[in-house]
Amino acid sequence: MPHTILHIDLDAFYCAVEETRNPELRGKAFAVGGKPEERGVVASCSYAARRMGVRSAMPMGKALRLCPGLFIVSSRHGLYSEVSQQVMKRLHDLTPLVEQISIDEAFLDISDLHEAPESIAHKLQSRIRDELQLPCSIGLASNKMVAKIATEVGKSLALSEIKAKGEVKPPNAVTVVPFGEEATFLAPLPAEMLWGVGPKTSARLTELGIHTIGDITKWPDSEMIRMFGENGRDLAQHSKGIDDRPVVTERETKSISQEITFSRDVRDDKVLEKTVEEQSAEVARQLRKNDLAGSTIKLKIRWPDFTTLTRQTTFQHRTDQEDEIAKAALDLLKIVRKPNQAVRLIGVGVTGLGQPIRQLGLWDTSEARRRAAVRIDSEKERKLQEVLEELQEKYGKNIIKRGNMS
């Protein structure tokens, strides 16, 4: 039996969230992101701004030149994450087979639901709109790749119709690709819409006279493999609408990190050290929140000329303690950075993740207890830190802090 995969994409998500908080923004040209004088970039932009040529990841200075009246809204990532979780909850209410691929995008396997897929899509779209005031577009197909492309095509067609009517609003599209019609649907689309076709592959395909996905299907699979290797095999399969990747409901967390790009290059040792300490504290908090600990501490640093370095050190044990993480990161900073050297970006991360070491039980051997003494102290420290974080969440980070015993 064929699968039915639903792909959902929240339309201009950051902007849509901001509009729920400030309805006066609706229909206006605005962008969410950083200030132009602080090297800000566009994180998201409204559909009115897009008509002026503004795009995500564009320097905010360029966006203002394209759209002089552009209104800039500072990013609120905590808020967007909170709203994203509310959306994902509604997806999980529909089916446990949900694969979240970004803050505003997910796949659902709705094969086992006893209702017409298009009806499910429209009901889900209406629920998100009515309960959260957020627009979204949906693609339905027999596999993930075609469902995602269906969403993209549906959004593009809907926006063209909206523009022709002289309106400014999100697409709110629902696009269905019936089982067995995947290749027919894909055939007229540009080859670069296919998964696995980046700039280099696209250029090579153009040299070969391949412009559409349908053009790829005209070439023997063996020729595609000869010219593109394993990627050629994927191109041949994908161009026919074949994709057997399942919806993955859980992903293994491989690293937890924090980084910041300074608005102006920083040379001050104390500022850099304070930043590393704050990042270490946040990474440690995320580790404990996810019941994880890590053995490898990484420092990422970028100089003003955009040269980027990564240095790391590995413990013989796993840790989720900010003091240990910060000390290791600061030691790496002293090794890699010369005195007074300017820094554009700095970040701290932890990898080699696993479950934290817990305190030993009553029946553990004395030899095991001897080996684990330091781990027991670490567990006490961890529990103390958890209590401190609970109090800080309730009363504020600057109200309750750790003190030093004298």
Side-chain angles (χ1 to χ4, degrees), residues 337-381:
R337 177 176 171 264
K338 299 175 183 177
N340 202 43
Q341 187 171 9
V343 173
R344 177 184 174 87
L345 172 149
I346 197 164
V348 175
V350 175
T351 61
L353 302 183
Q355 294 297 308
I357 302 299
R358 298 304 185 198
Q359 187 167 345
L360 295 172
L362 178 64
W363 306 110
D364 292 312
T365 66
S366 57
E367 175 61 19
R369 288 181 176 276
R370 184 189 65 77
R371 293 198 310 266
V374 66
R375 296 175 183 174
I376 294 174
D377 288 341
S378 178
E379 173 68 7
K380 291 178 180 178
E381 176 68 16

Short mmCIF file of all heavy atoms in Angstrom, two decimals, residues 337-381:
data_model
loop_
_atom_site.label_atom_id
_atom_site.label_comp_id
_atom_site.label_asym_id
_atom_site.label_seq_id
_atom_site.Cartn_x
_atom_site.Cartn_y
_atom_site.Cartn_z
N ARG A 337 44.07 32.33 20.63
CA ARG A 337 43.99 33.77 20.39
C ARG A 337 45.21 34.50 20.92
O ARG A 337 45.62 34.31 22.06
CB ARG A 337 42.72 34.34 21.05
CG ARG A 337 42.57 35.84 20.91
CD ARG A 337 41.24 36.31 21.51
NE ARG A 337 41.19 37.76 21.57
CZ ARG A 337 41.50 38.49 22.64
NH1 ARG A 337 41.89 37.88 23.76
NH2 ARG A 337 41.43 39.81 22.61
N LYS A 338 45.76 35.39 20.09
CA LYS A 338 46.86 36.24 20.50
C LYS A 338 46.34 37.42 21.30
O LYS A 338 45.18 37.81 21.15
CB LYS A 338 47.62 36.74 19.28
CG LYS A 338 48.23 35.65 18.42
CD LYS A 338 48.85 36.23 17.17
CE LYS A 338 49.41 35.12 16.27
NZ LYS A 338 49.96 35.68 15.01
N PRO A 339 47.17 38.02 22.16
CA PRO A 339 46.73 39.19 22.94
C PRO A 339 46.23 40.31 22.02
O PRO A 339 46.83 40.61 20.99
CB PRO A 339 48.00 39.62 23.69
CG PRO A 339 48.80 38.36 23.78
CD PRO A 339 48.54 37.60 22.51
N ASN A 340 45.10 40.88 22.39
CA ASN A 340 44.50 42.02 21.68
C ASN A 340 43.99 41.66 20.28
O ASN A 340 43.67 42.54 19.48
CB ASN A 340 45.49 43.18 21.58
CG ASN A 340 44.78 44.50 21.34
OD1 ASN A 340 43.75 44.78 21.96
ND2 ASN A 340 45.31 45.32 20.44
N GLN A 341 43.90 40.37 19.95
CA GLN A 341 43.42 39.97 18.63
C GLN A 341 41.90 40.11 18.56
O GLN A 341 41.16 39.63 19.43
CB GLN A 341 43.82 38.53 18.33
CG GLN A 341 43.51 38.09 16.91
CD GLN A 341 44.11 36.73 16.59
OE1 GLN A 341 44.62 36.04 17.49
NE2 GLN A 341 44.06 36.33 15.34
N ALA A 342 41.42 40.79 17.52
CA ALA A 342 39.99 41.05 17.38
C ALA A 342 39.22 39.77 17.04
O ALA A 342 39.71 38.91 16.31
CB ALA A 342 39.75 42.10 16.31
N VAL A 343 37.99 39.67 17.55
CA VAL A 343 37.15 38.49 17.35
C VAL A 343 35.80 38.94 16.79
O VAL A 343 35.19 39.86 17.31
CB VAL A 343 36.94 37.72 18.67
CG1 VAL A 343 35.93 36.59 18.49
CG2 VAL A 343 38.27 37.18 19.19
N ARG A 344 35.37 38.27 15.73
CA ARG A 344 34.07 38.57 15.12
C ARG A 344 32.98 37.66 15.67
O ARG A 344 31.86 38.08 15.93
CB ARG A 344 34.15 38.41 13.60
CG ARG A 344 32.83 38.62 12.88
CD ARG A 344 32.98 38.36 11.39
NE ARG A 344 31.69 38.41 10.71
CZ ARG A 344 31.15 39.52 10.24
NH1 ARG A 344 31.77 40.66 10.37
NH2 ARG A 344 29.97 39.49 9.63
N LEU A 345 33.31 36.37 15.84
CA LEU A 345 32.34 35.38 16.33
C LEU A 345 33.02 34.48 17.33
O LEU A 345 34.20 34.15 17.17
CB LEU A 345 31.78 34.56 15.17
CG LEU A 345 30.90 33.34 15.48
CD1 LEU A 345 29.88 33.14 14.36
CD2 LEU A 345 31.69 32.06 15.68
N ILE A 346 32.26 34.05 18.34
CA ILE A 346 32.80 33.08 19.29
C ILE A 346 31.68 32.15 19.72
O ILE A 346 30.51 32.55 19.81
CB ILE A 346 33.45 33.77 20.51
CG1 ILE A 346 34.35 32.81 21.27
CG2 ILE A 346 32.39 34.38 21.43
CD1 ILE A 346 35.31 33.48 22.22
N GLY A 347 32.03 30.88 19.94
CA GLY A 347 31.01 29.91 20.33
C GLY A 347 31.59 28.78 21.15
O GLY A 347 32.79 28.46 21.05
N VAL A 348 30.74 28.17 21.96
CA VAL A 348 31.12 27.03 22.80
C VAL A 348 30.16 25.89 22.52
O VAL A 348 28.95 26.09 22.41
CB VAL A 348 31.05 27.41 24.30
CG1 VAL A 348 31.32 26.17 25.17
CG2 VAL A 348 32.05 28.51 24.62
N GLY A 349 30.71 24.68 22.38
CA GLY A 349 29.87 23.52 22.14
C GLY A 349 30.37 22.30 22.88
O GLY A 349 31.52 22.25 23.30
N VAL A 350 29.49 21.32 23.04
CA VAL A 350 29.83 20.06 23.69
C VAL A 350 29.35 18.91 22.81
O VAL A 350 28.20 18.90 22.35
CB VAL A 350 29.20 19.96 25.09
CG1 VAL A 350 29.47 18.58 25.70
CG2 VAL A 350 29.72 21.05 26.01
N THR A 351 30.24 17.95 22.55
CA THR A 351 29.88 16.76 21.78
C THR A 351 30.28 15.52 22.59
O THR A 351 30.67 15.63 23.74
CB THR A 351 30.59 16.75 20.42
OG1 THR A 351 32.02 16.73 20.62
CG2 THR A 351 30.24 17.97 19.60
N GLY A 352 30.20 14.36 21.96
CA GLY A 352 30.45 13.11 22.68
C GLY A 352 29.39 12.90 23.74
O GLY A 352 29.69 12.58 24.90
N LEU A 353 28.13 13.09 23.34
CA LEU A 353 27.03 13.11 24.31
C LEU A 353 26.57 11.72 24.71
O LEU A 353 26.66 10.75 23.95
CB LEU A 353 25.85 13.89 23.73
CG LEU A 353 26.12 15.33 23.31
CD1 LEU A 353 24.84 16.00 22.83
CD2 LEU A 353 26.74 16.13 24.45
N GLY A 354 26.07 11.63 25.92
CA GLY A 354 25.50 10.40 26.45
C GLY A 354 24.78 10.72 27.74
O GLY A 354 24.65 11.88 28.14
N GLN A 355 24.29 9.69 28.39
CA GLN A 355 23.60 9.90 29.65
C GLN A 355 24.60 10.32 30.73
O GLN A 355 25.71 9.78 30.78
CB GLN A 355 22.89 8.61 30.09
CG GLN A 355 21.76 8.21 29.17
CD GLN A 355 20.64 9.23 29.15
OE1 GLN A 355 20.15 9.62 30.19
NE2 GLN A 355 20.27 9.69 27.98
N PRO A 356 24.23 11.27 31.59
CA PRO A 356 25.15 11.67 32.66
C PRO A 356 25.34 10.54 33.66
O PRO A 356 24.47 9.68 33.83
CB PRO A 356 24.44 12.87 33.30
CG PRO A 356 23.00 12.70 32.96
CD PRO A 356 22.96 12.04 31.61
N ILE A 357 26.50 10.52 34.30
CA ILE A 357 26.78 9.52 35.33
C ILE A 357 25.95 9.83 36.56
O ILE A 357 25.95 10.94 37.07
CB ILE A 357 28.27 9.52 35.71
CG1 ILE A 357 29.12 9.26 34.45
CG2 ILE A 357 28.57 8.50 36.78
CD1 ILE A 357 28.85 7.94 33.80
N ARG A 358 25.23 8.82 37.05
CA ARG A 358 24.39 9.01 38.23
C ARG A 358 25.09 8.48 39.48
O ARG A 358 25.99 7.65 39.41
CB ARG A 358 23.05 8.29 38.05
CG ARG A 358 22.24 8.82 36.87
CD ARG A 358 22.00 10.29 37.01
NE ARG A 358 21.14 10.80 35.97
CZ ARG A 358 21.03 12.06 35.63
NH1 ARG A 358 21.79 12.96 36.25
NH2 ARG A 358 20.21 12.45 34.70
N GLN A 359 24.59 8.91 40.63
CA GLN A 359 25.17 8.47 41.90
C GLN A 359 24.98 6.96 42.07
O GLN A 359 23.95 6.41 41.70
CB GLN A 359 24.51 9.20 43.07
CG GLN A 359 25.18 8.90 44.40
CD GLN A 359 24.72 9.87 45.46
OE1 GLN A 359 24.15 10.90 45.16
NE2 GLN A 359 25.00 9.52 46.70
N LEU A 360 25.98 6.29 42.62
CA LEU A 360 25.93 4.84 42.78
C LEU A 360 24.90 4.41 43.82
O LEU A 360 24.61 5.13 44.77
CB LEU A 360 27.30 4.32 43.21
CG LEU A 360 28.40 4.50 42.15
CD1 LEU A 360 29.74 4.13 42.77
CD2 LEU A 360 28.11 3.67 40.93
N GLY A 361 24.35 3.22 43.62
CA GLY A 361 23.34 2.72 44.53
C GLY A 361 23.94 2.01 45.74
O GLY A 361 25.15 1.85 45.88
N LEU A 362 23.07 1.52 46.63
CA LEU A 362 23.46 0.94 47.91
C LEU A 362 24.32 -0.31 47.72
O LEU A 362 25.24 -0.56 48.49
CB LEU A 362 22.21 0.59 48.71
CG LEU A 362 22.42 -0.08 50.06
CD1 LEU A 362 23.17 0.87 51.00
CD2 LEU A 362 21.08 -0.48 50.67
N TRP A 363 24.06 -1.10 46.67
CA TRP A 363 24.71 -2.40 46.54
C TRP A 363 25.94 -2.37 45.63
O TRP A 363 26.48 -3.41 45.29
CB TRP A 363 23.70 -3.43 46.01
CG TRP A 363 22.47 -3.49 46.87
CD1 TRP A 363 21.24 -3.08 46.54
CD2 TRP A 363 22.41 -3.95 48.21
NE1 TRP A 363 20.38 -3.24 47.59
CE2 TRP A 363 21.07 -3.79 48.64
CE3 TRP A 363 23.34 -4.50 49.12
CZ2 TRP A 363 20.64 -4.13 49.91
CZ3 TRP A 363 22.90 -4.84 50.38
CH2 TRP A 363 21.58 -4.66 50.76
N ASP A 364 26.39 -1.20 45.19
CA ASP A 364 27.59 -1.12 44.37
C ASP A 364 28.83 -1.46 45.21
O ASP A 364 28.88 -1.22 46.42
CB ASP A 364 27.75 0.27 43.76
CG ASP A 364 26.68 0.54 42.73
OD1 ASP A 364 26.47 -0.32 41.86
OD2 ASP A 364 26.04 1.61 42.80
N THR A 365 29.86 -2.00 44.59
CA THR A 365 31.05 -2.45 45.30
C THR A 365 31.87 -1.28 45.80
O THR A 365 31.81 -0.17 45.28
CB THR A 365 31.93 -3.30 44.37
OG1 THR A 365 32.44 -2.47 43.33
CG2 THR A 365 31.14 -4.45 43.75
N SER A 366 32.68 -1.55 46.82
CA SER A 366 33.53 -0.50 47.37
C SER A 366 34.55 -0.03 46.35
O SER A 366 34.91 1.14 46.31
CB SER A 366 34.25 -1.01 48.63
OG SER A 366 35.02 -2.17 48.32
N GLU A 367 35.04 -0.97 45.49
CA GLU A 367 36.00 -0.58 44.46
C GLU A 367 35.35 0.37 43.47
O GLU A 367 35.94 1.36 43.05
CB GLU A 367 36.50 -1.84 43.73
CG GLU A 367 37.42 -1.55 42.54
CD GLU A 367 38.69 -0.81 42.93
OE1 GLU A 367 39.04 -0.82 44.13
OE2 GLU A 367 39.31 -0.20 42.04
N ALA A 368 34.10 0.06 43.10
CA ALA A 368 33.38 0.95 42.18
C ALA A 368 33.15 2.30 42.83
O ALA A 368 33.24 3.35 42.19
CB ALA A 368 32.04 0.33 41.78
N ARG A 369 32.86 2.28 44.14
CA ARG A 369 32.66 3.55 44.84
C ARG A 369 33.94 4.38 44.85
O ARG A 369 33.92 5.60 44.72
CB ARG A 369 32.19 3.29 46.27
CG ARG A 369 30.76 2.79 46.36
CD ARG A 369 30.34 2.55 47.80
NE ARG A 369 28.95 2.17 47.86
CZ ARG A 369 27.94 3.01 47.85
NH1 ARG A 369 28.18 4.31 47.79
NH2 ARG A 369 26.69 2.58 47.88
N ARG A 370 35.06 3.69 45.04
CA ARG A 370 36.33 4.43 45.06
C ARG A 370 36.58 5.10 43.72
O ARG A 370 36.97 6.25 43.65
CB ARG A 370 37.48 3.45 45.39
CG ARG A 370 38.84 4.14 45.54
CD ARG A 370 39.95 3.12 45.65
NE ARG A 370 40.10 2.35 44.44
CZ ARG A 370 40.69 2.84 43.35
NH1 ARG A 370 41.17 4.07 43.33
NH2 ARG A 370 40.80 2.09 42.27
N ARG A 371 36.33 4.36 42.63
CA ARG A 371 36.57 4.91 41.30
C ARG A 371 35.60 6.04 40.97
O ARG A 371 35.89 6.91 40.18
CB ARG A 371 36.42 3.81 40.23
CG ARG A 371 37.49 2.73 40.30
CD ARG A 371 37.53 1.95 38.98
NE ARG A 371 36.21 1.50 38.57
CZ ARG A 371 35.71 0.30 38.86
NH1 ARG A 371 36.42 -0.55 39.59
NH2 ARG A 371 34.51 -0.05 38.44
N ALA A 372 34.42 5.99 41.59
CA ALA A 372 33.38 6.94 41.21
C ALA A 372 33.23 8.11 42.18
O ALA A 372 32.28 8.88 42.08
CB ALA A 372 32.04 6.22 41.10
N ALA A 373 34.17 8.29 43.12
CA ALA A 373 34.03 9.34 44.13
C ALA A 373 33.86 10.72 43.49
O ALA A 373 32.99 11.51 43.87
CB ALA A 373 35.24 9.34 45.05
N VAL A 374 34.68 10.99 42.49
CA VAL A 374 34.60 12.29 41.84
C VAL A 374 33.28 12.45 41.09
O VAL A 374 32.73 13.53 40.99
CB VAL A 374 35.80 12.49 40.87
CG1 VAL A 374 35.74 11.52 39.70
CG2 VAL A 374 35.83 13.93 40.35
N ARG A 375 32.75 11.33 40.60
CA ARG A 375 31.48 11.39 39.89
C ARG A 375 30.33 11.70 40.84
O ARG A 375 29.38 12.38 40.49
CB ARG A 375 31.23 10.08 39.16
CG ARG A 375 32.28 9.81 38.07
CD ARG A 375 32.08 8.46 37.44
NE ARG A 375 33.11 8.19 36.46
CZ ARG A 375 33.24 7.02 35.84
NH1 ARG A 375 32.41 6.03 36.12
NH2 ARG A 375 34.21 6.85 34.95
N ILE A 376 30.42 11.19 42.06
CA ILE A 376 29.39 11.47 43.06
C ILE A 376 29.39 12.96 43.38
O ILE A 376 28.33 13.60 43.48
CB ILE A 376 29.63 10.63 44.34
CG1 ILE A 376 29.43 9.14 44.01
CG2 ILE A 376 28.71 11.07 45.46
CD1 ILE A 376 29.79 8.22 45.15
N ASP A 377 30.58 13.53 43.54
CA ASP A 377 30.66 14.98 43.78
C ASP A 377 30.05 15.75 42.62
O ASP A 377 29.36 16.75 42.81
CB ASP A 377 32.13 15.40 43.96
CG ASP A 377 32.69 14.92 45.28
OD1 ASP A 377 31.88 14.61 46.18
OD2 ASP A 377 33.93 14.84 45.41
N SER A 378 30.28 15.26 41.41
CA SER A 378 29.73 15.91 40.24
C SER A 378 28.21 15.83 40.23
O SER A 378 27.52 16.77 39.86
CB SER A 378 30.29 15.27 38.96
OG SER A 378 29.74 15.85 37.82
N GLU A 379 27.67 14.69 40.70
CA GLU A 379 26.22 14.53 40.77
C GLU A 379 25.61 15.48 41.78
O GLU A 379 24.56 16.08 41.54
CB GLU A 379 25.90 13.07 41.14
CG GLU A 379 24.42 12.80 41.40
CD GLU A 379 23.58 12.93 40.14
OE1 GLU A 379 24.14 13.11 39.05
OE2 GLU A 379 22.34 12.87 40.27
N LYS A 380 26.29 15.68 42.90
CA LYS A 380 25.79 16.64 43.89
C LYS A 380 25.78 18.05 43.30
O LYS A 380 24.84 18.81 43.50
CB LYS A 380 26.68 16.60 45.15
CG LYS A 380 26.55 15.33 45.96
CD LYS A 380 27.51 15.37 47.14
CE LYS A 380 27.41 14.09 47.98
NZ LYS A 380 28.37 14.10 49.11
N GLU A 381 26.84 18.36 42.58
CA GLU A 381 26.93 19.68 41.93
C GLU A 381 25.80 19.85 40.91
O GLU A 381 25.20 20.91 40.80
CB GLU A 381 28.29 19.82 41.25
CG GLU A 381 28.49 21.10 40.46
CD GLU A 381 28.55 22.34 41.32
OE1 GLU A 381 28.75 22.20 42.55
OE2 GLU A 381 28.39 23.44 40.79
#
